[in-house]
Amino acid sequence: MASSNWQNWSGHVRATPTAILHPSDHAALSASLSESRGRVRVVGTGHSFTPLAATDQTLISLSGMDGTVLACDPPAATARLQAGASLNALSRDLQEHGLAFRNLGDIDAQTLAGATSTGTHGTGPEFPCLSAEMQEITLVTATGETVTASAENGADLLNAARIALGSLGIIVDATVSLQPAYSLHRRTFTRSLKDTLATAMDSWAQHRNFEFFCLPFCDHAFNIVHDATDAPDSGAKDNSDSNAVKQLKLLRGLLGWATPLRRAVLNRVARSQKPEDIIGPSWAMLANERNNPFNEMEYHLPVDQGLEALEEALSVIERERRDVFFPVECRMTGGDDAWLSPFQGGPRISVAVHAWHLDRFDWFFEHIEPIFRRRGGRPHWGKMHTLKADDLRQLYPDFERFTKLRRELDPAGRFLNPYLADLWGEPFDA
Ligand SMILES: Cc1cc2nc3c(=O)[nH]c(=O)nc-3n(C[C@H](O)[C@H](O)[C@H](O)COP(=O)(O)OP(=O)(O)OC[C@H]3O[C@@H](n4cnc5c(N)ncnc54)[C@H](O)[C@@H]3O)c2cc1C
C-alpha cells in the first residue's frame, strides 16, 4: 500500500488518493473491500477524460492481477477474459486461440473493464459498443461479495453493469462475444469534405468499418475504411499520429491569424497525403497509438442528425475559434440495450471534438455541446460533458432503474465521488 499522486492520460484530472491498491487476485480484491471502510474508486488505465476514477481516499487498480484469456470456447466464439487486462494484451492472446474482438476503437491501451464501463465503441453500424459484447459479468460489490450476472441469471444486473462507470462493483472477469480471428484490409485516403459527407451513409453501408476525420479550416477529410479479407498480411502500418498533429499545431501557430492562407496550405497538405493500403490482423489494423495528449468531448447523435451536427460544429469552430487545430472525428456505432448505453434504441453517429492538452477546452461546452444537445445527442460516458442527473434522466429511459439498483448494491455510497454523485443525483458528504 502506498500513497501517491494519480493523473489521467491527458493530465487534466489529478487526484491524491490516500492509498492505491493493486490486489493480486480476486480473493485479495474481495478482502480489500470487506475489510475496509470509506470511499473507493476503481481505475483502468485512466484513459477517461473526466474525474470518473478520481478519489482522495482509496483507488483500486487490477493491474496486479495475472492473466488475460482465462478460458475460451472457440466454437461458440466466446472467452472468459480478465477484466483488468488491456485490450491490446487480450487481442494478442486471443489471436493465439484463433479469436478476436469483433470491433475496437481508435486505441487498444484501455482495460477491458474500463472500456466496457463507459461504452467504448469503434465504428460500423453492424457493430455495437464493447459493452454489448459482455455475455456474463462477475463483479465484487462494495461489501466484498462476488456477484455474477448473465442473460439467464440476472439479466437486469447484466444490462446495468455493462455500462456502470464503476458504480455497481468492481468487474473481475467477463465472458465476451468474439469472432474467429480475421484480417482486415485497411485503406486511408483524402477526399473532399463535400464528397465525404455526401457519400458517408453509403460508405457506412458498404464497408465493414468506415470513419473520417475532418479538419477545421480545410475542405478535405481523411477517410479510413476497413474490410474483411482472406489475403495475406502486407506489413506493419504507421500507427502513430505524432507527426500529423505536430504539423497541424505548427500551421495553427504560423497561420492561425490568416484564415484564407491557412485554408490554402491545409488543403495542399491534405491533398498531398499518401493513401495507405495495407492488410493485417484486425486488432493491429483498427487500433492506433495516440502520442499527443488531448482532451475530448464526443456526443452520440441520432443517425439523421449526426452529419448536420458535424457540419454545424465545424462552421462554429471556424467562426469562433481560430485556435482549434485538432481534427473532428465522425463514426457510426450499432445499437444495444444496456440501460445506460448511449446507443440504446438504435445506431448513432458519433462526433468528437478535441483540444491539445495544453490548450483551453471551454469552447467544447460554450459552442459545441449546445449543438449536440439540441440535436438529441447523448455524451460519451468517458469524455467531457456538462450533463448531470436531471439532464441524463431525460436521455435514458432506464436511468431511474439504474440509480435504484446502484443504491441497493451500494447503499453507503462507497463507490461515489463528487463527479459521480452529480451524475446519479446523489448528495455527497466528503
Ligand atoms: C487516446 C484515447 C483514445 C480513445 N479512443 C476511444 C475510442 O476510439 N472509442 C471510445 O469509445 N472511447 C475512446 N476513448 C475513451 C476510453 O475508451 C474510455 O474512456 C475508457 O473508459 C478508458 O478505459 P480505461 O481502462 O482507461 O478506464 P478508466 O478511464 O481508468 O476508467 C473508466 C471507468 O471505468 C471504471 N472501471 C475501471 N476498471 C473497472 C473495473 N474493473 N470494474 C468496474 N469499473 C471499472 C472506472 O471506475 C471509470 O468509471 C479514448 C481515450 C483516449 C485517451
Side-chain angles (χ1 to χ4, degrees):
M1 191 189 298
S3 285
S4 171
N5 287 326
W6 173 85
Q7 67 177 55
N8 75 333
W9 176 83
S10 74
H12 171 65
V13 183
R14 288 163 192 265
T16 308
T18 50
I20 301 183
L21 306 182
H22 300 271
S24 57
D25 58 25
H26 187 149
L29 171 65
S30 296
S32 67
L33 284 160
S34 62
E35 292 165 11
S36 65
R37 297 281 170 277
R39 311 270 188 197
V40 179
R41 290 301 301 146
V42 59
V43 69
T45 52
H47 277 70
S48 294
F49 297 94
T50 53
L52 287 171
T55 181
D56 57 7
Q57 297 194 26
T58 302
L59 188 65
I60 295 187
S61 156
L62 304 192
S63 61
M65 290 203 182
D66 277 342
T68 51
V69 181
L70 306 177
C72 69
D73 182 350
T78 62
R80 191 81 187 160
L81 303 180
Q82 203 263 101
S86 75
L87 297 175
N88 180 277
L90 288 165
S91 292
R92 288 171 186 275
D93 290 354
L94 281 168
Q95 183 159 290
E96 302 292 310
H97 296 276
L99 292 169
F101 289 107
R102 295 202 302 149
N103 207 4
L104 286 170
D106 278 347
I107 59 164
D108 58 8
Q110 315 95 313
T111 61
L112 176 72
T116 296
S117 297
T118 61
T120 293
H121 64 104
T123 189
E126 299 296 314
F127 301 102
C129 65
L130 182 63
S131 327
E133 310 286 16
M134 303 299 125
Q135 290 191 356
E136 185 177 271
I137 292 179
T138 296
L139 38 85
V140 177
T141 65
T143 54
E145 188 193 348
T146 296
V147 189
T148 295
S150 64
E152 297 74 36
N153 192 359
D156 277 1
L157 179 57
L158 176 68
N159 268 337
R162 279 176 162 152
I163 300 182
L165 312 180
S167 291
L168 303 183
I170 298 182
I171 302 172
V172 280
D173 45 58
T175 300
V176 181
S177 287
L178 304 160
Q179 73 169 75
Y182 58 105
S183 289
L184 286 176
H185 182 185
R186 172 187 172 89
R187 288 187 304 119
T188 66
F189 52 92
T190 305
R191 181 180 263 179
S192 77
L193 177 59
K194 196 161 158 260
D195 288 351
T196 300
L197 290 169
T199 55
M201 297 308 292
D202 288 342
S203 300
W204 272 308
Q206 284 163 12
H207 297 287
R208 186 183 190 279
N209 311 95
F210 164 68
E211 69 180 293
F212 63 96
F213 289 86
C214 35
L215 292 173
F217 310 100
C218 181
D219 303 315
H220 297 272
F222 185 65
N223 289 231
I224 306 176
V225 298
H226 290 99
D227 289 296
T229 179
D230 293 328
D233 293 359
S234 65
K237 77 177 201 276
D238 175 11
N239 245 348
S240 160
D241 63 348
S242 286
N243 288 337
V245 171
K246 280 187 192 133
Q247 225 180 357
L248 292 172
K249 182 160 165 289
L250 186 72
L251 279 177
R252 185 264 309 253
L254 291 174
L255 300 174
W257 50 273
T259 306
L261 191 52
R262 183 179 183 183
R263 186 177 294 282
V265 174
L266 275 173
N267 282 342
R268 202 185 166 103
V269 171
R271 279 195 303 265
S272 69
Q273 291 303 304
K274 285 205 187 83
E276 190 184 20
D277 192 317
I278 188 163
I279 294 171
S282 57
W283 55 273
M285 295 296 101
L286 290 168
N288 307 281
E289 282 171 23
R290 295 284 181 248
N291 298 321
N292 288 284
F294 52 79
N295 287 301
E296 178 175 349
M297 178 175 74
E298 182 177 52
Y299 265 69
H300 309 297
L301 293 125
V303 169
D304 62 353
Q305 297 290 319
L307 296 177
E308 286 177 23
L310 167 71
E311 286 186 277
E312 203 181 335
L314 276 175
S315 70
V316 169
I317 291 171
E318 292 188 3
R319 196 173 64 235
E320 306 286 346
R321 299 299 305 216
R322 284 193 289 185
D323 55 323
V324 177
F325 69 90
F326 253 83
V328 178
E329 185 175 16
C330 186
R331 296 180 275 186
M332 196 195 291
T333 296
D336 69 279
D337 52 8
W339 287 0
L340 294 187
S341 174
F343 311 100
Q344 195 194 65
R348 289 201 163 218
I349 290 180
S350 306
V351 182
V353 290
H354 310 78
W356 186 53
H357 69 129
L358 298 180
D359 279 352
R360 295 178 69 113
F361 53 79
D362 47 356
W363 57 274
F364 290 175
F365 314 122
E366 188 185 348
H367 295 300
I368 310 298
E369 193 175 39
I371 299 171
F372 293 163
R373 291 195 64 185
R374 183 162 33 80
R375 292 178 177 275
R378 292 171 173 154
H380 188 302
W381 287 109
K383 302 186 183 180
M384 290 177 159
H385 65 87
T386 61
L387 273 49
K388 298 199 180 345
D390 284 345
D391 312 300
L392 296 165
R393 198 170 283 123
Q394 311 299 318
L395 293 178
Y396 289 96
D398 292 315
F399 188 78
E400 294 300 342
R401 287 171 94 188
F402 179 87
T403 52
K404 182 167 173 286
L405 181 62
R406 192 207 65 75
R407 280 192 294 270
E408 284 165 18
L409 285 171
D410 183 20
R414 291 193 75 192
F415 291 136
L416 288 179
N417 66 11
Y419 181 79
L420 288 160
D422 278 350
L423 290 188
W424 308 143
E426 296 290 345
F428 186 84
D429 298 320

